């Protein structure tokens, strides 16, 4: 088992950092390019959600990863507003910010690119997204 | 992220370089907005040099599509590949915006009036 944890400011310039940090952590496993790209996509979506929807002002995003043999797990967590209706948020094309040119595809993409997705959220406590993928 | 552009008739061609995520979609939107002269009706977005794009990019492209549609024009993409192609399909974007392998091909199809409605 190998673990990694990072915390960073919930600002958009850290989206690229988050993708690269997670893919960098995975490098030693020599994962296939497809697995690597899928994980980067899913992490980017989860981190973007935390940054856009988690906070009105300043905040922190935490990423925690585990690799156990070929099983990979990543948690993206914020400590912000929380999602009031997770079922609605997970619907394809749903966006709580229609005025902002958001596609509403975040959760759909996370589900499509990872093997399993768990979302827990509590009002004014934050949101935690955990995703799993078997590395090939 | 680096952006370049050129025009061909009433079409603006925008070349994007680097990753497209929520951080730089606002920047791209602003850039395109400033380049769209009154006579521009169509937009070609080249993603040939883009290695990563997430759903923020889909939202940005859809936004530009709505904008060009209002001018009775259209949007075409060039060089959508890999995971970008998967999210392009997943979001249904391919049903309204065509993807071409070269900008010349995209320009030709716009001139010929071949685009999705």
């Amino acid at each position: 088992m190998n673990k990694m944890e990072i915390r960073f400011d919930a600002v958009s310039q850290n989206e690229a950092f988050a993708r690269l940090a997670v893919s960098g952590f995975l490098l030693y496993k020599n994962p296939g390019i497809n697995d690597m790209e899928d994980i980067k996509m899913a992490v980017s979506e989860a981190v973007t959600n935390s940054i856009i929807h988690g906070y009105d002002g300043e905040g922190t995003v935490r990423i925690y990863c585990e690799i156990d043999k070929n099983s990979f797990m990543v948690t993206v967590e914020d400590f912000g507003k929380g999602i009031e209706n997770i079922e609605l948020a997970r619907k394809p094309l749903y966006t709580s910010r229609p005025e902002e040119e958001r596609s509403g595809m975040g959760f759909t993409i996370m589900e499509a690119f990872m093997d399993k997705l768990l979302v827990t959220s509590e009002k004014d406590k934050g949101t935690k997204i955990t995703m799993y993928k078997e590395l090939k | 992220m680096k952006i370049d552009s050129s025009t061909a008739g009433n079409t603006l061609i925008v070349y994007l370089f680097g990753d497209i995520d929520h951080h730089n979609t606002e920047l791209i939107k602003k850039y395109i907005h400033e380049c769209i002269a009154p006579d521009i009706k169509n937009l070609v977005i080249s993603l040939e040099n883009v290695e990563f794009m997430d759903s923020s990019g889909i939202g940005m492209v859809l936004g530009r599509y709505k904008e060009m549609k209002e001018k009775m024009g259209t949007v075409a993409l060039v060089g959508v590949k890999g995971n970008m192609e998967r999210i392009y399909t997943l979001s249904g974007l391919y049903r309204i915006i065509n993807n071409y392998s070269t900008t010349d091909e995209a320009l030709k199809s716009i001139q010929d009036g071949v685009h999705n409605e």
Side-chain angles (χ1 to χ4, degrees), chain A residues 10-128:
Chain A
V11 289
S12 64
Q13 54 266 47
N14 285 335
E15 289 157 7
F17 163 70
R19 292 195 293 276
L20 293 177
V22 172
S23 55
F25 174 66
L26 276 165
L27 264 184
Y28 79 101
K29 293 294 289 184
N30 285 318
I33 184 85
N34 290 342
D35 283 347
M36 198 73 133
E37 290 303 310
D38 289 359
I39 290 165
K40 272 167 75 177
M41 182 73 79
V43 167
S44 197
E45 296 294 345
V47 169
T48 302
N49 271 357
S50 281
I51 291 171
I52 294 179
H53 304 290
Y55 303 99
D56 283 325
E58 287 175 15
T60 300
V61 178
R62 171 183 176 263
I63 292 183
Y64 172 73
C65 299
E66 270 180 23
I67 298 173
D68 189 10
K69 296 190 181 76
N70 285 321
S71 303
F72 172 71
M73 182 204 90
V74 56
T75 294
V76 177
E77 188 175 12
D78 66 67
F79 312 93
K81 291 186 277 183
I83 302 170
E84 273 183 39
N85 187 337
I86 295 178
E87 205 188 324
L88 181 64
R90 288 179 75 154
K91 278 202 171 128
L93 306 176
Y94 172 79
T95 173
S96 57
R97 308 263 180 102
E99 70 288 357
E100 275 183 32
E101 295 194 349
R102 306 297 315 159
S103 68
M105 292 300 293
F107 278 118
T108 307
I109 289 173
M110 289 181 241
E111 277 171 359
F113 284 67
M114 302 295 277
D115 296 341
K116 194 174 148 197
L117 169 76
L118 295 174
V119 186
T120 55
S121 191
E122 203 180 325
K123 196 171 163 26
D124 298 323
K125 288 268 169 69
T127 300
K128 186 173 175 177

